[in-house]
Amino acid sequence: KQWYQRRVAITAGICALDRGYVTGGKDGTVCLWDDTFEALLKQYSLATFKTENPMLMMNPVQAVRGIALGQGKIIVGTRKGNIFEIEKSGHVELLVGGHAEGEVWGLGPHPTEQVFATVSDDKTLKVWDAAEKLLVLNKSLTVEARSVCFSNSGDLLAVGYKTGSVEIMK
């Protein structure tokens, strides 16, 4: 076999295609290459992703961590826990959003609505609409959280922190 060496932006994900490769970089750029890495055939940027819900992305830079090809579309997993789908036309769609770094420690369902809250090591509280599959609240916290619970009436939210403290939010 012949080996090829090509310097590209820090590549965090790579997937072999029938005739070429697709790579994903730390800068959120996804590139299609020929089978020798000599020609850059197409380039996409996760920064082009636009949404009406600004809470879906805390940081516009979506560093690629995993990449695959499925049904003619590029599937990209990011450091922030999001999964994107890129079409050949360049259209980027968020399939799944999540917490950024660390583990999800707390999960609390709303007592009467199809809503749940999560907290994690990434110092965020997220409230999700399960019926619509949407993130409806993305709140930054000061420290890592370990638990979250809605009150019986559903109008208050308690967050337990790694430090041992508890905060009640309305």
Side-chain angles (χ1 to χ4, degrees):
K1 291 186 177 184
Q2 188 174 6
W3 293 94
Y4 299 96
Q5 183 175 359
R6 173 99 172 144
R7 287 200 126 214
V8 293
I10 297 172
T11 300
I14 187 167
C15 179
L17 307 174
D18 289 338
R19 285 184 250 143
Y21 298 89
V22 60
T23 61
K26 185 177 178 181
D27 61 355
T29 301
V30 175
C31 298
L32 286 174
W33 299 91
D34 70 358
D35 57 355
T36 63
F37 279 100
E38 292 297 319
L40 175 60
L41 305 174
K42 195 141 188 174
Q43 186 170 318
Y44 306 98
S45 174
L46 294 180
T48 63
F49 173 71
K50 302 287 185 238
T51 177
E52 293 178 14
N53 186 344
M55 292 180 286
L56 287 176
M57 291 174 49
M58 294 177 58
N59 182 343
V61 177
Q62 294 287 323
V64 175
R65 289 293 183 253
I67 198 159
L69 193 66
Q71 299 178 353
K73 297 177 183 177
I74 301 168
I75 309 299
V76 179
T78 71
R79 178 175 170 255
K80 295 291 183 186
N82 297 320
I83 299 175
F84 291 92
E85 178 181 75
I86 303 174
E87 296 177 3
K88 288 179 184 179
S89 67
H91 175 74
V92 178
E93 183 176 344
L94 179 70
L95 298 180
V96 177
H99 283 273
E101 297 178 43
E103 301 175 34
V104 173
W105 278 84
L107 171 66
H110 191 278
T112 59
E113 299 174 17
Q114 290 189 3
V115 171
F116 62 93
T118 57
V119 293
S120 102
D121 282 339
D122 68 356
K123 300 178 186 173
T124 62
L125 161 69
K126 296 182 186 283
V127 178
W128 308 85
D129 182 324
E132 297 294 322
K133 299 180 180 149
L134 286 175
L135 178 65
V136 295
L137 174 71
N138 187 16
K139 179 176 175 47
S140 293
L141 305 173
T142 56
V143 295
E144 296 93 342
R146 291 293 180 255
S147 58
V148 63
C149 181
F150 280 96
S151 64
N152 288 341
S153 62
D155 61 338
L156 300 175
L157 198 58
V159 176
Y161 294 100
K162 185 177 181 179
T163 60
S165 63
V166 175
E167 182 178 3
I168 307 298
M169 300 177 190
K170 193 161 181 94

